[in-house]
Amino acid sequence: MGIEYLLQMKSFMSGALNLLLPQNCLGCDTPVAAAGQFCVPCFRRAVFVTPPFCACCGLPLPYEAAGAGGMCGACWDHLPAFTQARAALRYDELAKALILPFKYADRTDAARGLAMLMRRAGADLLARADVLVPVPLHKSRLRARRYNQAALLAAQLASLSGRAHRPDALIRTRATVALARLSATERQAALAGAIIARKGVEVSGRNVLLIDDVMTTGSTASSCAAALRLAGAARVDVLTIARVASPDDD
Ligand SMILES: [Zn+2]
Ligand SMILES: [Zn+2]
C-alpha cells in the first residue's frame, strides 16, 4: 500500500469525520450548521475587516485614503515588500478568543474553521496564488509550542483551495523580540537577516500567498515577502485571520 494511498485515505477519513461530527461556532461552543461559521450572537459581535482599508497592508482606515494610492501613512512612508495583505477580522476580544487557544493551548482542531474564515476574506488573493507559504517559527519556539500555527492554517487553506503548500520555504534563523512597540527603524534592525528563503525553494516566477494568524505592524510579513522576492517570487500577498488596527490593541 503506497504512502500516497494512505495519505488520500487519511484526508478522506478526516473529511468524512468533519461531516459526521457536530460543528461548533468559531467563537463559542454553540453548534452551527457547518465548520467555519459563527453562531448568531458571535456573528453580531464579530468585527470583520471591511472597506475602507489600506490598499496595500489592509489596515482598517477611518476614511477612504484616495490621495495616497489608497494607502495608509506607514505604507506610503515605507512600501512593504508584499503587494497586498488582507485579514478576516479585526484583532479584538472575540478574535483573541478564537486565536489564542489555537496558538498556545493545543486547540489545533480549530485550524479548519479558521482557514474557512480566511478563505472568504482572501478569495481574490487565493485565486491568484500559486503556492501558500506560512510565516516560519524559530526552532526554539517550535520546540516549545510543538506546532507552527501558521503552517496549520496554510495546510488547511491549501487543501480547501487546491493550491500547493510549501511549509518549509522560509527559515527563521533566530528568535526575534516582540516588535509591536518598536519604531519602524528598530523593527527593521530586529528583523535584519532573521528570515531567509530555504536554498532551492521553488518560488521563482510564482505568486506566493504568505499565511499567518495575526498581522500587527506588517514588519514580519514584509521581511518574509522580501526573502521570497529575493528567491525569485513574482509577487507576495499576505492573508491572516486578524489584523491589529493599532499596535496598542495587541
Ligand atoms: Zn458563538
Ligand atoms: Zn498600509
Side-chain angles (χ1 to χ4, degrees):
M1 207 182 299
I3 185 77
E4 290 286 316
Y5 174 78
L6 283 172
L7 286 172
Q8 267 177 23
M9 275 309 284
K10 186 166 171 266
S11 128
F12 172 77
M13 291 301 283
S14 69
L17 271 176
N18 279 340
L19 290 176
L20 290 172
L21 292 172
Q23 306 292 340
N24 288 345
C25 163
L26 286 169
C28 71
D29 291 332
T30 307
V32 289
Q37 293 183 350
F38 284 111
C39 69
V40 173
C42 286
F43 184 82
R44 290 213 180 105
R45 281 202 299 140
V47 184
F48 294 92
V49 176
T50 52
F53 48 68
C54 170
C56 177
C57 76
L59 182 78
L61 297 172
Y63 51 84
E64 206 75 53
M71 289 193 293
C72 71
C75 289
W76 185 245
D77 285 345
H78 188 85
L79 199 64
F82 54 77
T83 304
Q84 277 188 343
R86 295 294 177 262
L89 298 170
R90 291 233 198 172
Y91 193 60
D92 59 7
E93 291 308 314
L94 178 77
K96 278 182 198 172
L98 258 63
I99 293 166
L100 297 182
F102 167 61
K103 191 166 175 171
Y104 298 112
D106 288 337
R107 286 296 308 272
T108 52
D109 53 309
R112 186 127 186 127
L114 293 169
M116 290 169 125
L117 184 68
M118 294 168 82
R119 180 175 60 168
R120 290 195 286 274
D124 295 351
L125 307 191
L126 273 166
R128 65 169 166 252
D130 298 313
V131 53
L132 309 188
V133 170
V135 168
L137 275 187
H138 184 253
K139 57 179 186 291
S140 62
R141 295 247 163 93
L142 191 60
R143 220 175 293 128
R145 210 181 284 173
R146 296 197 301 279
Y147 58 92
N148 175 359
Q149 75 283 358
L152 297 184
L153 294 170
Q156 291 294 339
L157 277 163
S159 102
L160 289 167
S161 65
R163 297 294 185 267
H165 176 215
R166 293 282 171 274
D168 58 351
L170 293 170
I171 306 166
R172 214 182 264 253
T173 58
R174 54 187 159 80
T176 42
V177 294
L179 301 169
R181 280 175 180 77
L182 305 182
S183 71
T185 323
E186 288 169 333
R187 288 199 298 269
Q188 237 173 356
L191 281 164
I195 295 165
I196 57 170
R198 188 177 296 278
K199 250 202 176 79
V201 67
E202 291 159 8
V203 293
S204 189
R206 308 271 186 92
N207 289 337
V208 179
L209 183 56
L210 187 70
I211 305 294
D212 206 359
D213 51 354
V214 181
M215 182 188 269
T216 306
T217 62
S219 302
T220 303
S222 189
S223 281
C224 291
L228 290 162
R229 295 293 303 274
L230 203 63
R235 167 187 181 120
V236 181
D237 293 314
V238 188
L239 181 59
T240 61
I241 304 168
R243 176 72 216 244
V244 175
S246 114
D248 292 337
D249 299 346
D250 196 13

